[in-house]
Amino acid sequence: MSKALLYTLLIFTVTQVAVWYQTNGQFISEWFKNNTFILSLFGIPISFGYIYATRFAFEAFDGMLWPGRLLGFALGIISFTILTNYHMGEGITPKIAVSLVLATALVCIQAFWK
């Protein structure tokens, strides 16, 4: 696995987790609910995360944008599922389980299929 791909996976994951807390933290914490302006300011570093993850993905996939887009999408689905289950207690239904398998398959296809 190339360094660029590793950075892509790491930055996309961290950024997706940050977005989950930025948008859904209001349902688990009064601080998040009462400080929307401060949370909106986190959009700046989050945007940088997406920009750099996309740049590293572009490098990792020899100048192609689609693989990075699919990785970002799939990592978002995976992190959303984990965090929503952990914080909100929303279980994994058969429909969500199939979606997770498909998201994991997208990550594996983009990361390992040359």
Side-chain angles (χ1 to χ4, degrees):
M1 182 180 300
S2 73
K3 188 185 292 189
L5 180 56
L6 185 62
Y7 288 156
T8 299
L9 295 171
L10 178 66
I11 296 169
F12 266 138
T13 300
V14 169
T15 304
Q16 294 286 12
V17 168
V19 167
W20 192 95
Y21 283 104
Q22 183 189 37
T23 58
N24 299 305
Q26 62 185 320
F27 307 118
I28 61 173
S29 166
E30 286 299 313
W31 186 92
F32 281 85
K33 188 175 185 175
N34 296 326
N35 292 283
T36 53
F37 180 75
I38 294 170
L39 286 173
S40 70
L41 296 176
F42 283 102
I44 295 168
I46 287 170
S47 293
F48 277 105
Y50 283 128
I51 290 166
Y52 281 102
T54 301
R55 184 177 297 167
F56 283 120
F58 189 76
E59 178 185 332
F61 295 107
D62 301 318
M64 293 174 45
L65 287 174
W66 270 110
R69 176 66 184 107
L70 293 171
L71 273 178
F73 166 76
L75 291 168
I77 295 295
I78 292 167
S79 63
F80 182 89
T81 301
I82 293 167
L83 291 168
T84 301
N85 183 283
Y86 178 77
H87 287 292
M88 307 301 289
E90 292 185 25
I92 298 175
T93 65
K95 179 180 174 181
I96 291 177
V98 169
S99 297
L100 283 173
V101 168
L102 292 172
T104 303
L106 278 174
V107 170
C108 291
I109 288 168
Q110 296 305 317
F112 302 114
W113 187 345
K114 297 296 175 184

